[in-house]
Amino acid sequence: MKKYSKEELENIYLDRKMKLVDYMTNNKIDAAVFEDTEERRNPAVRYFTGHPSDALYIIAVVDGKATDFLVPWDENLANEKSVGVQILPYNKYERKNTTAVSKILKSLKIKGNKKVEIPPETPYPLFLKYVDALSAIGWDVLCRDKSIHDFVVEMRATKDEYEIECTKEAARVGDHIISEIERGIRENWLHKEMDVALLIESELRKCGCERTGFDTLAAGPARSWAIHAFPGYTDAPWPADGLSILDFGVVYEGYTSDTTLTVAKNLNEKQAELVELVEQAAKESLPLYKPGSKIKLAGEKADEVFAKAKRVMPHTLGHGIGLEIHEFPRVSSKQDEKAVFKPGMIVTLEPGLYDPKLGGVRLENDVLITKDGNEVITHSKIIRI
């Protein structure tokens, strides 16, 4: 992956903030609060600051310019990881969100009727505490749907250069792991669901990744009929005769990949038909992942492939990925007519079929929408043995 200088990173983060400031200015919002805590996780804090977790992020528009503050639980980590933001340690404010926000906003020289937007998922008792603390210093508190926080969700759906590079690195590591898994299968040293899950954990850390994007799902033939097997993996055989599924992602600098492969071993005729249908759905849907195309068309194509065989896919065809494993947009035949693919989106393509008697099959790869079409950045597959 390309190495970014401190100045390059500062410019990338500044560009994100300026888009947010433009929105705030146009909508007459003077300040906004983002919260990433154990109770309420919000990757927007990392998106705007680079700090990985456990902090408040406060941004205000002062004289048309962004003035922002990071209030971290771990000041040392913030000093190491944050980019272009003023750090004010949490313990300076009695470790209370309302105290931190009220004191910081009070220090800003903003005149007139002042409005601050807090996260829409704020619990009502905490909302009341914000109102008490901030109204006393002349601020109106907004807590609502269709807010600045929703704007940031849409903003994050289209990745910038740095986000694309990070996701491609996660994809590269994921591809390496898939190669190791296939080698383990063919050389007969991977035998159980637990074996493959622990291999993923080991390899991703050797390659400089932070963690898995979600709990790894490794399901042998006895459990592959579940969309998301529970528990994620056991001591059961993997792979074995029939259909075995593996769904995993790895995280590099906050950005996750998301892939699913299926191992097809000594299949009967009906199991082989499931595999062929899933491969066909993936092949026919991929060309519709292109800029300007209605997102729902890709979902409709997959549904059409399965309907001809009198099968129904019980989940959406895909979803956005990024700092979270499930981001906007959802790729589905039920998606809004106005929703279209845009350059910079990274979305999954993951058709799947599941049968309690036959087992399940899913094929998932990550697709970058480009100016001219798309680029498949992962290389998951059906492994036939």
Side-chain angles (χ1 to χ4, degrees):
M1 173 179 166
K2 172 186 173 181
K3 295 295 182 182
Y4 286 81
S5 68
K6 180 181 178 181
E7 182 179 1
E8 286 176 318
L9 284 175
E10 287 178 347
N11 287 335
I12 288 169
Y13 280 87
L14 179 60
D15 184 62
R16 297 175 190 173
K17 293 173 188 177
M18 292 314 301
K19 291 176 182 176
L20 184 58
V21 165
D22 286 344
Y23 177 90
M24 293 169 68
T25 301
N26 292 335
N27 289 275
K28 298 181 180 179
I29 300 168
D30 299 287
V33 178
F34 298 86
E35 180 184 18
D36 185 5
T37 66
E38 289 183 355
E39 296 83 9
R40 291 171 294 281
R41 291 294 180 196
N42 189 336
V45 174
R46 189 170 192 174
Y47 180 72
F48 289 114
T49 72
H51 183 66
S53 66
D54 296 308
L56 296 177
Y57 176 60
I58 302 167
I59 184 168
V61 182
V62 181
D63 296 329
K65 297 180 180 179
T67 300
D68 60 340
F69 308 87
L70 178 68
V71 186
W73 174 72
D74 188 331
E75 183 181 4
N76 294 332
L77 184 62
N79 285 325
E80 176 68 23
K81 292 291 187 179
S82 66
V83 180
V85 64
Q86 183 176 345
I87 298 170
L88 299 173
Y90 194 42
N91 58 16
K92 182 178 179 180
Y93 303 103
E94 304 170 5
R95 294 185 175 275
K96 293 182 179 179
N97 294 7
T98 52
T99 301
V101 174
S102 61
K103 287 191 175 182
I104 289 171
L105 293 184
K106 187 177 181 179
S107 71
L108 302 177
K109 296 180 179 180
I110 301 176
K111 299 178 181 179
N113 184 28
K114 298 167 287 189
K115 295 182 180 180
V116 58
E117 190 139 28
I118 65 174
E121 62 271 14
T122 302
Y124 187 62
L126 181 56
F127 166 72
L128 293 179
K129 291 179 181 179
Y130 270 120
V131 171
D132 287 343
L134 299 179
S135 62
I137 58 172
W139 284 81
D140 290 336
V141 179
L142 305 178
C143 184
R144 57 187 178 174
D145 289 331
K146 297 182 180 179
S147 66
I148 190 171
H149 298 81
D150 296 299
F151 169 75
V152 171
V153 168
E154 293 182 12
M155 182 178 163
R156 286 173 38 224
T158 303
K159 274 56 181 178
D160 57 37
E161 173 194 340
Y162 178 69
E163 294 179 285
I164 291 171
E165 287 295 316
C166 288
T167 309
K168 283 187 173 182
E169 181 63 13
R172 185 194 67 77
V173 173
D175 283 352
H176 159 72
I177 292 173
I178 289 171
S179 295
E180 284 297 292
I181 289 167
E182 183 169 12
R183 186 168 70 87
I185 293 169
R186 299 196 183 282
E187 294 179 2
N188 199 32
W189 49 264
L190 274 180
H191 302 113
K192 297 184 177 182
E193 294 172 356
M194 182 173 61
D195 294 340
V196 69
L198 295 180
L199 172 66
I200 292 167
E201 289 281 356
S202 175
E203 288 298 317
L204 75 88
R205 295 175 197 279
K206 289 178 185 176
C207 295
C209 289
E210 298 175 5
R211 56 181 172 83
T212 57
F214 50 93
D215 289 342
T216 296
L217 302 168
R223 307 189 317 126
S224 64
W225 48 263
I227 300 170
H228 285 170
F230 180 84
Y233 55 90
T234 70
D235 196 37
W238 191 101
D241 286 352
L243 294 166
S244 298
I245 281 180
L246 174 66
D247 187 354
F248 77 100
V250 302
V251 177
Y252 183 82
E253 292 295 328
Y255 291 86
T256 189
S257 63
D258 186 8
T259 54
T260 306
L261 61 84
T262 299
V263 182
K265 182 177 181 181
N266 297 328
L267 302 187
N268 61 40
E269 185 176 342
K270 290 185 177 180
Q271 289 171 325
E273 288 176 0
L274 292 185
V275 173
E276 290 170 5
L277 281 169
V278 166
E279 289 183 312
Q280 181 183 352
K283 181 179 179 180
E284 294 191 20
S285 300
L286 179 59
L288 298 172
Y289 279 57
K290 60 183 180 180
S293 177
K294 291 182 180 180
I295 293 174
K296 68 177 298 179
L297 296 179
E300 288 174 347
K301 174 56 68 174
D303 290 348
E304 176 187 313
V305 170
F306 293 138
K308 288 179 180 178
K310 297 183 179 180
R311 291 280 181 179
V312 176
M313 180 171 63
H315 54 74
T316 60
L317 182 61
H319 55 85
I321 58 172
L323 289 169
E324 293 180 292
I325 189 58
H326 292 115
E327 294 192 352
F328 181 83
R330 181 182 62 170
V331 183
S332 166
S333 57
K334 298 179 177 63
Q335 180 58 270
D336 188 280
E337 283 279 351
K338 296 179 181 178
V340 298
F341 288 115
K342 298 177 182 179
M345 286 181 171
I346 303 179
V347 286
T348 66
L349 170 57
E350 49 179 304
L353 292 174
Y354 314 86
D355 187 291
K357 294 181 179 179
L358 301 176
V361 53
R362 183 162 67 250
L363 177 59
E364 177 182 18
N365 279 299
D366 303 335
V367 184
L368 168 65
I369 307 301
T370 65
K371 291 180 179 179
D372 302 319
N374 65 59
E375 177 185 354
V376 182
I377 63 173
T378 59
H379 299 87
S380 189
K381 58 186 174 180
I382 306 295
I383 299 176
R384 292 176 167 84
I385 54 176

